[in-house]
Amino acid sequence: MQQKIIGYHLDEEHHWVAELDCGHFQHVRHNPPWTVRLWVTTVASRQQKLDMVLSCKKCDVAAPPDSIG
């Protein structure tokens, strides 16, 4: 299911996690050469990606919302 990014936070390993409008979280790592997402490396570029749509696999399986903590 397609969901919009509404915010971000860092996980315990300092990887960026997108907070989706459905209540689920999804990692958006910049981990070259496997995953290149330069936009996660600066505040300005992350802000530009707010409202970008990601495919939420947790919605597809009706998982409960995530929480920080």
Coordinates of all heavy atoms in Angstrom, one line a residue:
M1 N 0.8 -1.2 0.0 CA 0.0 0.0 0.0 C 0.9 1.2 0.0 O 1.9 1.3 0.7 CB -0.9 0.0 1.2 CG -1.9 1.2 1.3 SD -3.0 1.1 2.7 CE -4.0 -0.3 2.1
Q2 N 0.5 2.2 -0.7 CA 1.3 3.5 -0.9 C 1.0 4.4 0.3 O -0.2 4.7 0.5 CB 1.0 4.1 -2.2 CG 1.3 3.3 -3.4 CD 2.8 3.0 -3.5 OE1 3.6 3.9 -3.6 NE2 3.2 1.7 -3.5
Q3 N 2.0 4.9 1.0 CA 1.8 5.8 2.1 C 2.8 7.0 2.0 O 4.0 6.8 1.6 CB 2.0 5.1 3.4 CG 1.1 3.9 3.7 CD -0.4 4.3 3.9 OE1 -0.6 5.5 4.1 NE2 -1.3 3.4 3.8
K4 N 2.4 8.1 2.5 CA 3.3 9.3 2.4 C 4.2 9.4 3.6 O 3.8 9.0 4.7 CB 2.4 10.6 2.4 CG 1.7 10.8 1.1 CD 0.9 12.1 1.2 CE 0.1 12.3 -0.1 NZ -0.6 13.6 0.0
I5 N 5.4 9.9 3.4 CA 6.4 10.2 4.5 C 5.9 11.5 5.2 O 5.7 12.5 4.6 CB 7.8 10.4 4.0 CG1 8.3 9.1 3.3 CG2 8.7 10.8 5.1 CD1 9.7 9.3 2.6
I6 N 5.8 11.4 6.5 CA 5.3 12.6 7.3 C 6.4 13.0 8.3 O 6.3 14.1 8.9 CB 4.0 12.3 8.1 CG1 4.2 11.1 9.0 CG2 2.9 12.1 7.1 CD1 3.0 11.0 10.0
G7 N 7.5 12.3 8.4 CA 8.6 12.7 9.3 C 9.7 11.6 9.3 O 9.6 10.6 8.6
Y8 N 10.7 11.9 10.1 CA 11.9 11.0 10.2 C 12.4 10.9 11.6 O 12.2 11.8 12.4 CB 13.0 11.5 9.3 CG 12.7 11.8 7.9 CD1 12.3 13.1 7.5 CD2 12.8 10.8 6.9 CE1 12.0 13.3 6.2 CE2 12.5 11.1 5.6 CZ 12.1 12.3 5.2 OH 11.8 12.6 3.9
H9 N 13.1 9.9 11.9 CA 13.9 9.8 13.1 C 15.1 8.8 12.9 O 15.1 8.1 11.9 CB 13.0 9.3 14.3 CG 12.5 7.9 14.2 ND1 11.3 7.6 13.7 CD2 13.1 6.7 14.6 CE1 11.1 6.3 13.7 NE2 12.2 5.7 14.3
L10 N 16.0 8.9 13.8 CA 17.2 8.0 13.7 C 16.9 6.8 14.6 O 16.4 7.0 15.8 CB 18.4 8.7 14.2 CG 19.1 9.7 13.3 CD1 20.2 10.5 13.9 CD2 19.6 9.0 12.0
D11 N 17.3 5.6 14.2 CA 17.1 4.4 15.0 C 18.4 4.3 15.9 O 19.2 5.2 15.9 CB 16.9 3.2 14.2 CG 18.1 2.7 13.4 OD1 19.2 3.3 13.5 OD2 17.9 1.7 12.6
E12 N 18.4 3.3 16.7 CA 19.5 3.1 17.7 C 20.9 2.9 17.0 O 21.9 3.1 17.6 CB 19.2 2.0 18.6 CG 19.0 0.6 18.0 CD 17.6 0.4 17.4 OE1 16.7 1.2 17.7 OE2 17.5 -0.6 16.6
E13 N 20.9 2.5 15.7 CA 22.1 2.4 15.0 C 22.4 3.6 14.1 O 23.3 3.6 13.3 CB 22.1 1.1 14.1 CG 22.0 -0.1 14.9 CD 21.8 -1.4 14.1 OE1 21.8 -1.3 12.8 OE2 21.7 -2.5 14.7
H14 N 21.7 4.7 14.3 CA 21.9 6.0 13.6 C 21.6 5.8 12.1 O 22.2 6.5 11.3 CB 23.2 6.6 13.8 CG 23.5 6.8 15.3 ND1 22.8 7.9 16.0 CD2 24.2 6.2 16.2 CE1 23.2 7.9 17.2 NE2 24.1 6.9 17.4
H15 N 20.6 5.0 11.8 CA 20.0 4.9 10.4 C 18.7 5.7 10.4 O 17.9 5.6 11.3 CB 19.8 3.5 10.0 CG 21.0 2.6 10.0 ND1 21.9 2.7 8.9 CD2 21.5 1.6 10.8 CE1 22.9 1.8 9.1 NE2 22.6 1.2 10.2
W16 N 18.5 6.4 9.3 CA 17.3 7.2 9.1 C 16.1 6.2 8.9 O 16.1 5.3 8.1 CB 17.4 8.2 8.0 CG 18.2 9.3 8.4 CD1 19.5 9.6 8.0 CD2 17.9 10.3 9.4 NE1 20.0 10.7 8.7 CE2 19.0 11.2 9.5 CE3 16.7 10.6 10.1 CZ2 19.0 12.3 10.3 CZ3 16.7 11.7 10.9 CH2 17.8 12.5 11.0
V17 N 15.0 6.6 9.6 CA 13.7 5.9 9.4 C 12.6 6.9 9.1 O 12.5 7.9 9.7 CB 13.4 5.2 10.8 CG1 12.0 4.5 10.7 CG2 14.5 4.3 11.3
A18 N 11.9 6.5 8.0 CA 10.8 7.4 7.6 C 9.5 7.0 8.4 O 9.3 5.8 8.7 CB 10.5 7.2 6.1
E19 N 8.8 8.0 8.9 CA 7.6 7.8 9.6 C 6.5 8.1 8.6 O 6.4 9.1 7.9 CB 7.5 8.8 10.7 CG 8.6 8.7 11.7 CD 8.7 9.8 12.7 OE1 7.9 10.7 12.7 OE2 9.6 9.8 13.5
L20 N 5.6 7.1 8.4 CA 4.6 7.1 7.3 C 3.3 7.5 7.9 O 3.0 7.3 9.1 CB 4.5 5.7 6.6 CG 5.8 5.2 6.1 CD1 5.6 3.8 5.5 CD2 6.4 6.1 5.1
D21 N 2.4 8.1 7.1 CA 1.1 8.6 7.6 C 0.2 7.5 8.0 O -0.8 7.7 8.7 CB 0.4 9.5 6.5 CG 0.1 8.8 5.2 OD1 0.5 7.7 5.0 OD2 -0.6 9.5 4.4
C22 N 0.5 6.2 7.8 CA -0.3 5.1 8.3 C 0.1 4.7 9.7 O -0.6 3.9 10.3 CB -0.1 3.9 7.3 SG 1.6 3.4 7.2
G23 N 1.2 5.3 10.2 CA 1.7 4.9 11.5 C 2.8 3.9 11.6 O 3.3 3.5 12.6
H24 N 3.2 3.5 10.4 CA 4.4 2.5 10.3 C 5.6 3.3 10.0 O 5.6 4.4 9.6 CB 4.1 1.5 9.2 CG 3.0 0.6 9.5 ND1 1.9 0.4 8.6 CD2 2.7 -0.2 10.5 CE1 1.1 -0.5 9.1 NE2 1.6 -0.9 10.3
F25 N 6.8 2.6 10.3 CA 8.1 3.2 10.1 C 8.8 2.3 9.0 O 8.5 1.1 8.9 CB 9.0 3.1 11.3 CG 8.4 3.9 12.5 CD1 8.9 3.6 13.8 CD2 7.5 4.9 12.3 CE1 8.4 4.3 14.9 CE2 7.1 5.6 13.4 CZ 7.5 5.3 14.7
Q26 N 9.7 3.0 8.2 CA 10.4 2.2 7.2 C 11.8 2.8 7.1 O 11.9 4.1 7.0 CB 9.7 2.4 5.8 CG 10.3 1.5 4.7 CD 9.5 1.5 3.5 OE1 8.2 1.4 3.6 NE2 10.1 1.6 2.4
H27 N 12.8 2.0 7.1 CA 14.2 2.5 7.0 C 14.4 3.1 5.6 O 13.9 2.5 4.6 CB 15.2 1.4 7.2 CG 15.5 1.1 8.7 ND1 14.8 0.1 9.4 CD2 16.3 1.7 9.5 CE1 15.2 0.2 10.6 NE2 16.1 1.1 10.8
V28 N 15.1 4.2 5.6 CA 15.5 4.8 4.3 C 17.0 5.1 4.4 O 17.5 6.2 4.3 CB 14.7 6.1 4.0 CG1 13.3 5.8 3.6 CG2 14.7 7.1 5.2
R29 N 17.8 4.0 4.4 CA 19.2 4.1 4.6 C 19.9 4.5 3.3 O 19.5 4.2 2.2 CB 19.8 2.7 4.9 CG 19.3 2.2 6.3 CD 19.9 0.8 6.5 NE 19.6 0.2 7.8 CZ 18.5 -0.6 8.0 NH1 17.8 -1.0 7.0 NH2 18.3 -1.1 9.2
H30 N 21.0 5.2 3.6 CA 22.0 5.5 2.5 C 23.1 4.6 2.8 O 23.9 4.8 3.8 CB 22.4 7.0 2.5 CG 23.5 7.3 1.6 ND1 23.3 7.2 0.2 CD2 24.7 7.8 1.8 CE1 24.5 7.5 -0.4 NE2 25.3 7.9 0.5
N31 N 23.3 3.5 2.1 CA 24.3 2.5 2.4 C 25.0 2.0 1.1 O 24.7 0.9 0.6 CB 23.6 1.3 3.1 CG 24.5 0.3 3.6 OD1 25.7 0.6 3.8 ND2 24.0 -0.9 3.8
P32 N 25.8 3.0 0.5 CA 26.4 2.6 -0.8 C 27.3 1.4 -0.6 O 27.9 1.2 0.4 CB 27.2 3.8 -1.2 CG 26.9 4.9 -0.2 CD 26.1 4.2 0.9
P33 N 27.5 0.6 -1.6 CA 27.0 0.7 -3.0 C 25.6 0.0 -3.1 O 25.0 0.0 -4.2 CB 28.0 0.0 -3.8 CG 28.5 -1.1 -2.9 CD 28.5 -0.5 -1.5
W34 N 25.1 -0.6 -2.1 CA 23.8 -1.4 -2.2 C 22.6 -0.5 -2.3 O 21.8 -0.7 -3.1 CB 23.7 -2.3 -1.0 CG 24.8 -3.3 -1.0 CD1 24.9 -4.5 -1.7 CD2 26.0 -3.3 -0.2 NE1 26.1 -5.1 -1.5 CE2 26.8 -4.4 -0.5 CE3 26.5 -2.4 0.8 CZ2 28.0 -4.7 0.1 CZ3 27.7 -2.7 1.4 CH2 28.4 -3.8 1.0
T35 N 22.6 0.5 -1.5 CA 21.4 1.4 -1.5 C 22.0 2.9 -1.5 O 22.7 3.3 -0.6 CB 20.5 1.2 -0.2 OG1 20.1 -0.1 -0.2 CG2 19.3 2.1 -0.3
V36 N 21.6 3.6 -2.5 CA 22.1 5.0 -2.6 C 20.9 5.9 -2.5 O 20.0 6.0 -3.3 CB 22.8 5.3 -4.0 CG1 23.2 6.7 -4.1 CG2 24.0 4.3 -4.1
R37 N 20.8 6.6 -1.3 CA 19.8 7.6 -1.1 C 20.5 8.8 -0.5 O 20.4 9.1 0.7 CB 18.8 7.0 -0.1 CG 17.9 6.0 -0.7 CD 16.7 5.7 0.3 NE 15.9 4.6 -0.2 CZ 16.0 3.3 0.3 NH1 16.7 3.1 1.4 NH2 15.2 2.4 -0.2
L38 N 21.1 9.6 -1.3 CA 21.8 10.8 -0.8 C 20.9 11.7 -0.2 O 21.3 12.5 0.7 CB 22.5 11.4 -2.0 CG 23.8 10.8 -2.5 CD1 24.3 11.4 -3.7 CD2 24.9 10.8 -1.4
W39 N 19.6 11.7 -0.5 CA 18.7 12.7 0.0 C 18.5 12.5 1.5 O 18.0 13.4 2.2 CB 17.3 12.6 -0.7 CG 16.6 11.3 -0.7 CD1 16.7 10.3 -1.6 CD2 15.7 10.8 0.3 NE1 15.9 9.2 -1.3 CE2 15.2 9.6 -0.1 CE3 15.1 11.4 1.5 CZ2 14.3 8.8 0.6 CZ3 14.2 10.7 2.2 CH2 13.8 9.4 1.8
V40 N 18.8 11.3 2.1 CA 18.7 11.2 3.6 C 19.8 11.8 4.4 O 19.7 11.9 5.6 CB 18.5 9.7 4.0 CG1 17.3 9.1 3.3 CG2 19.7 8.9 3.8
T41 N 20.8 12.3 3.7 CA 22.0 12.7 4.4 C 22.0 14.2 4.9 O 22.8 14.6 5.7 CB 23.3 12.6 3.5 OG1 23.1 13.4 2.3 CG2 23.5 11.1 3.1
T42 N 21.0 15.0 4.4 CA 20.9 16.4 4.9 C 19.4 16.7 5.3 O 18.5 16.1 4.8 CB 21.3 17.4 3.9 OG1 20.3 17.4 2.8 CG2 22.7 17.1 3.3
V43 N 19.3 17.6 6.3 CA 18.0 18.0 6.7 C 17.2 18.5 5.6 O 16.0 18.2 5.4 CB 18.1 19.1 7.8 CG1 16.8 19.6 8.2 CG2 18.8 18.5 9.1
A44 N 17.8 19.4 4.8 CA 17.0 20.0 3.7 C 16.5 19.0 2.7 O 15.4 19.1 2.2 CB 17.9 21.1 3.0
S45 N 17.4 18.1 2.3 CA 16.9 17.1 1.3 C 15.9 16.1 1.9 O 14.9 15.7 1.2 CB 18.1 16.3 0.7 OG 18.8 15.6 1.7
R46 N 16.0 15.8 3.2 CA 14.9 15.0 3.8 C 13.6 15.8 3.8 O 12.5 15.2 3.5 CB 15.3 14.6 5.2 CG 16.3 13.5 5.3 CD 16.5 12.9 6.7 NE 16.8 13.9 7.7 CZ 18.1 14.3 7.9 NH1 19.1 13.8 7.2 NH2 18.3 15.2 8.8
Q47 N 13.6 17.0 4.1 CA 12.4 17.9 4.2 C 11.8 17.9 2.8 O 10.5 17.9 2.7 CB 12.7 19.3 4.6 CG 13.2 19.4 6.1 CD 12.0 18.9 7.0 OE1 10.9 19.2 6.8 NE2 12.4 18.3 8.1
Q48 N 12.6 17.9 1.7 CA 12.0 18.0 0.4 C 11.3 16.7 0.0 O 10.4 16.7 -0.9 CB 13.1 18.2 -0.6 CG 13.7 19.6 -0.6 CD 14.9 19.8 -1.6 OE1 15.3 18.8 -2.2 NE2 15.3 21.0 -1.7
K49 N 11.6 15.6 0.7 CA 11.0 14.3 0.4 C 9.7 14.0 1.3 O 9.1 13.0 1.1 CB 12.0 13.1 0.6 CG 13.1 13.2 -0.4 CD 12.7 13.0 -1.8 CE 13.9 12.9 -2.7 NZ 13.5 12.6 -4.1
L50 N 9.4 15.0 2.2 CA 8.1 14.8 2.9 C 7.0 14.8 1.9 O 7.0 15.4 0.9 CB 7.9 16.0 3.9 CG 8.9 16.0 5.1 CD1 8.6 17.3 5.9 CD2 8.7 14.8 6.0
D51 N 6.0 13.9 2.2 CA 4.9 13.7 1.3 C 5.3 12.7 0.1 O 4.4 12.4 -0.7 CB 4.3 14.9 0.7 CG 3.5 15.7 1.8 OD1 3.0 15.1 2.8 OD2 3.5 16.9 1.7
M52 N 6.5 12.3 0.0 CA 6.9 11.3 -1.0 C 6.2 10.0 -0.6 O 6.1 9.7 0.6 CB 8.4 11.1 -1.0 CG 8.9 10.1 -2.1 SD 10.7 10.0 -2.3 CE 11.0 8.7 -1.0
V53 N 5.8 9.3 -1.6 CA 5.1 8.0 -1.3 C 6.0 6.8 -1.3 O 6.9 6.7 -2.2 CB 3.9 7.8 -2.4 CG1 3.3 6.5 -2.2 CG2 2.9 9.0 -2.3
L54 N 5.9 6.0 -0.3 CA 6.6 4.7 -0.2 C 5.6 3.6 -0.2 O 4.5 3.7 0.3 CB 7.5 4.7 1.0 CG 8.6 5.7 1.1 CD1 9.4 5.5 2.5 CD2 9.6 5.6 0.0
S55 N 6.1 2.4 -0.6 CA 5.3 1.2 -0.5 C 5.4 0.6 0.9 O 6.5 0.3 1.3 CB 5.7 0.2 -1.5 OG 4.9 -1.0 -1.4
C56 N 4.3 0.5 1.6 CA 4.3 0.1 3.0 C 3.9 -1.4 3.1 O 2.7 -1.7 3.0 CB 3.4 0.9 3.9 SG 3.5 0.4 5.6
K57 N 4.9 -2.3 3.3 CA 4.6 -3.7 3.3 C 3.9 -4.1 4.6 O 3.1 -5.1 4.7 CB 5.9 -4.5 3.2 CG 6.5 -4.3 1.8 CD 7.5 -5.3 1.5 CE 8.2 -5.0 0.2 NZ 7.4 -4.9 -1.0
K58 N 4.1 -3.3 5.7 CA 3.4 -3.5 6.9 C 1.9 -3.3 6.8 O 1.1 -4.0 7.4 CB 3.9 -2.7 8.0 CG 5.4 -3.0 8.4 CD 5.9 -2.1 9.5 CE 7.3 -2.5 9.8 NZ 7.9 -1.6 10.8
C59 N 1.5 -2.3 6.0 CA 0.0 -2.1 5.7 C -0.5 -3.3 4.9 O -1.7 -3.7 5.2 CB -0.2 -0.9 4.9 SG -0.2 0.7 5.8
D60 N 0.3 -3.9 4.0 CA -0.2 -5.0 3.2 C -0.6 -6.2 4.1 O -1.4 -7.0 3.7 CB 0.9 -5.4 2.2 CG 1.1 -4.4 1.1 OD1 0.2 -3.5 0.9 OD2 2.1 -4.4 0.5
V61 N 0.0 -6.3 5.3 CA -0.2 -7.5 6.2 C -1.0 -7.0 7.4 O -1.1 -7.8 8.4 CB 1.0 -8.2 6.5 CG1 1.7 -8.8 5.3 CG2 2.0 -7.3 7.3
A62 N -1.6 -5.8 7.4 CA -2.4 -5.2 8.5 C -1.6 -5.3 9.8 O -2.2 -5.6 10.9 CB -3.7 -6.0 8.6
A63 N -0.3 -4.9 9.8 CA 0.4 -4.8 11.0 C 0.0 -3.6 11.9 O -0.4 -2.6 11.3 CB 1.9 -4.7 10.7
P64 N 0.1 -3.8 13.2 CA -0.2 -2.6 14.1 C 0.8 -1.5 13.8 O 1.9 -1.7 13.4 CB -0.1 -3.2 15.5 CG 0.8 -4.4 15.4 CD 0.6 -4.9 14.0
P65 N 0.4 -0.3 14.2 CA 1.3 0.9 14.0 C 2.6 0.7 14.8 O 2.6 0.0 15.9 CB 0.5 2.1 14.6 CG -0.9 1.6 14.6 CD -0.9 0.1 14.7
D66 N 3.7 1.3 14.4 CA 5.0 1.2 15.1 C 5.0 2.3 16.1 O 4.2 3.3 16.1 CB 6.1 1.5 14.0 CG 6.2 0.3 13.1 OD1 6.2 -0.9 13.5 OD2 6.4 0.5 11.9
S67 N 6.0 2.2 17.0 CA 6.2 3.3 18.0 C 7.7 3.4 18.3 O 8.5 2.4 18.1 CB 5.5 3.0 19.3 OG 5.9 1.8 19.9
I68 N 8.1 4.6 18.6 CA 9.5 4.8 19.0 C 9.7 4.4 20.4 O 9.0 4.8 21.3 CB 9.9 6.3 18.8 CG1 9.7 6.7 17.3 CG2 11.3 6.6 19.2 CD1 9.9 8.2 17.1
G69 N 10.7 3.6 20.6 CA 11.0 3.4 22.0 C 11.6 2.1 22.3 O 11.9 1.6 23.2

